Amino acid sequence: MNEIALLLAATLSAGTVLAIAALGLLINERAGILNLGAEGMMLVAAVAGFATSVHTGNDWLAFGAGALAGAGMAAVFGVLVIWLNTNQYASGLALSLFGGGFSAFLGISYTQAKLAERPRFEIPVLADLPFVGPAFFKHHPMVYLTVLFMFALAWFLYRSRAGLVLRAIGESPESAHALGYPVRRIRFIAVLSGGALCGVAGAYLSVIYTPLWVEGMTAGKGWIALALTTFATWRPARVLLGAYLFGGVTMLQFHLQGEGVQIPSQWLTMLPYLATVVVLVLISRNPTWIRINMPASIGKPFFPGS
């Protein structure tokens, strides 16, 4: 039972990285913008957050630095695709490649750095409960904030006027523009918000989840987060559940290795990515279902007055 509790705890921690990034990408896509640069944004934010934590010892400043780094990268992408009308797919891939190289350059002096000892986080009384205590109540506050943010985002999208406008822009930017809404400005704010969340995910990865800096440490998590939005049919609650599902698959490989299961380590390492491919294949078998749930203008440029 103790091993299962530890596996659940590791699942929540691993899933938090994916959940934060995927919720950010969900905001982008609800506004009709497809950003394939999540991997690059997360890497730059990871080194920014790690460097900040090394010099300040403050996790929250590290998250702030990661958010700023992610938003800065997203701002470049937003200018390119929203005002200069470049191709969203090509620009996102370029952002991802640039982020990988730029983060490697910035992180050269931090590859051997170590973070200061941090206090243990646990919820009083609840953390002492058998099984559920170590499984659910001994996590960094960011794990719980992510769950709260999911509820807040769901309320924003489906219960607020601003969320309705955002979804309307994702469905038909021409109609929203005709009603007088500043489509490009709103899309840019959505891109910045999504980039900031990807940045927080990158900082969480290097400061809390690992914690260290290694070149290319995201190891495809940005792409998995991107796949999660489709897997969840662009709904926040399903994104969170999907993130924990993939986090569990990621942690399962280490659990099986620790149990001495006689499976080549390469196969176990493939598990999260194999699960991603399988899920996408299964979803793609029903294109009508995807088309019904997908924002109609996703990936399409918008030219005011055209």
Side-chain angles (χ1 to χ4, degrees):
M1 294 296 291
N2 186 55
E3 291 180 358
I4 295 175
L6 294 177
L7 178 60
L8 288 174
T11 295
L12 289 178
S13 184
T16 297
V17 178
L18 298 173
I20 299 172
L23 289 173
L25 295 173
L26 174 68
I27 295 173
N28 288 356
E29 295 178 17
R30 278 294 184 179
I33 300 294
L34 180 63
N35 188 349
L36 301 181
E39 190 84 356
M41 292 188 293
M42 289 176 66
L43 281 170
V44 172
V47 69
F50 185 79
T52 302
S53 185
V54 166
H55 294 297
T56 66
N58 189 303
D59 293 348
W60 301 105
L61 288 178
F63 293 144
L68 288 175
M73 295 275 288
V76 176
F77 172 81
V79 170
L80 289 174
V81 303
I82 296 174
W83 273 280
L84 300 182
N85 294 312
T86 60
N87 183 277
Q88 293 184 21
Y89 302 95
S91 299
L93 289 173
L95 187 70
S96 185
L97 294 173
F98 171 78
F102 188 51
S103 63
F105 172 74
L106 293 177
I108 291 175
S109 58
Y110 292 99
T111 52
Q112 301 298 325
K114 294 183 178 180
L115 298 180
E117 194 71 23
R118 59 176 41 83
R120 294 178 59 186
F121 295 99
E122 57 182 44
I123 299 177
V125 181
L126 294 177
D128 297 326
L129 295 174
F131 186 74
V132 295
F136 301 111
F137 301 116
K138 292 187 177 182
H139 295 283
H140 189 277
M142 185 57 71
V143 174
Y144 308 111
L145 289 175
T146 301
V147 177
L148 291 177
F149 177 75
M150 182 276 295
F151 285 108
L153 181 59
W155 178 88
F156 170 79
L157 289 175
Y158 300 107
R159 294 290 185 269
S160 71
R161 181 180 178 84
L164 176 62
V165 171
L166 182 71
R167 290 190 293 123
I169 289 173
E171 294 295 336
S172 178
E174 293 81 8
S175 299
H177 177 70
L179 292 173
Y181 292 107
V183 172
R184 287 188 166 186
R185 194 184 311 162
I186 293 173
R187 278 188 162 184
F188 188 68
I189 293 173
V191 167
L192 290 181
S193 301
L197 286 171
C198 285
V200 172
Y204 180 88
L205 178 64
S206 63
V207 175
I208 305 300
Y209 180 67
T210 334
L212 51 81
W213 162 253
V214 177
E215 180 181 342
M217 66 184 301
T218 51
K221 289 180 174 60
W223 299 109
I224 294 178
L226 188 68
L228 269 176
T229 58
T230 304
F231 167 78
T233 59
W234 295 272
R235 296 180 181 274
R238 294 178 187 175
V239 165
L240 192 68
L241 292 175
Y244 291 146
L245 172 64
F246 283 94
V249 173
T250 302
M251 289 298 102
L252 182 62
Q253 61 174 307
F254 301 112
H255 179 74
L256 292 176
Q257 288 175 350
E259 292 294 318
V261 176
Q262 298 301 314
I263 300 177
S265 60
Q266 293 83 357
W267 284 99
L268 294 175
T269 304
M270 288 169 54
L271 278 178
Y273 311 103
L274 183 62
T276 304
V277 173
V278 170
V279 167
L280 290 177
V281 169
L282 292 176
I283 291 175
S284 299
R285 294 179 62 187
N286 191 348
T288 303
W289 184 66
I290 295 180
R291 188 167 57 251
I292 291 174
N293 291 280
M294 183 176 62
S297 70
I298 189 170
K300 299 177 182 178
F302 169 68
F303 302 89
S306 59

